[in-house]
Amino acid sequence: MSNYLVAMEAAWLVRDVEDIDDAIGVAVSEAGKRLNQKDKEYVEVEVGATPCPACGEPFDSAFIAANTALVGLLLEIKVFNADGEKHASRIAKSEVGGALRDVPLDVIDVMEFDEEEEQ
């Protein structure tokens, strides 16, 4: 049994916004609030990054059209005592997905870590 850090991408819709920074703030705040209501304070929430197609430099994953934003959020959760990467991914999606119903989630990275290194 191993411990894993699972990173997931979530697509968050924000309505009635005109500014990218406002959309990002609302998305992170709403996701954090829903996770906290389900006692999932241990899930890290931040805005995701998308590489620029021209230069490759990362920029915030947010797009606004018609005062509606789609914000890509990065969610990270530590999974302890999983049987492998696939098992850790399923546990993470179940934990986060239960709190963020109707929010598309995609596992983007799974890294094994040693609990002793974290302290």
Side-chain angles (χ1 to χ4, degrees):
M1 302 282 247
S2 299
N3 302 323
Y4 295 91
L5 177 65
V6 180
M8 293 175 285
E9 184 176 50
W12 200 274
L13 203 60
V14 180
R15 299 183 192 282
D16 299 323
V17 291
E18 296 178 9
D19 182 64
I20 289 286
D21 291 332
D22 290 342
I24 291 169
V26 169
V28 170
S29 176
E30 286 179 356
K33 181 178 177 182
R34 283 176 57 182
L35 287 162
N36 289 342
Q37 288 173 345
K38 298 289 185 176
D39 296 325
K40 310 281 186 216
E41 300 88 11
Y42 48 85
V43 178
E44 295 291 325
V45 180
E46 58 188 54
V47 67
T50 301
C52 173
C55 67
E57 288 294 316
F59 61 92
D60 291 339
S61 290
F63 176 77
I64 295 180
N67 291 334
T68 303
L70 178 63
V71 180
L73 296 178
L74 178 64
L75 308 171
E76 291 184 339
I77 181 172
K78 291 179 181 175
V79 177
F80 299 94
N81 299 322
D83 290 331
E85 289 185 7
K86 287 185 180 183
H87 186 225
S89 296
R90 286 194 307 270
I91 292 169
K93 283 185 86 168
S94 175
E95 284 286 308
V96 174
L100 303 180
R101 295 243 181 252
D102 302 322
V103 175
L105 293 174
D106 186 33
V107 174
I108 56 174
D109 193 23
V110 181
M111 294 186 327
E112 189 173 355
F113 73 92
D114 187 4
E115 191 174 8
E116 294 168 0
E117 292 174 3
E118 295 292 312
Q119 295 175 359

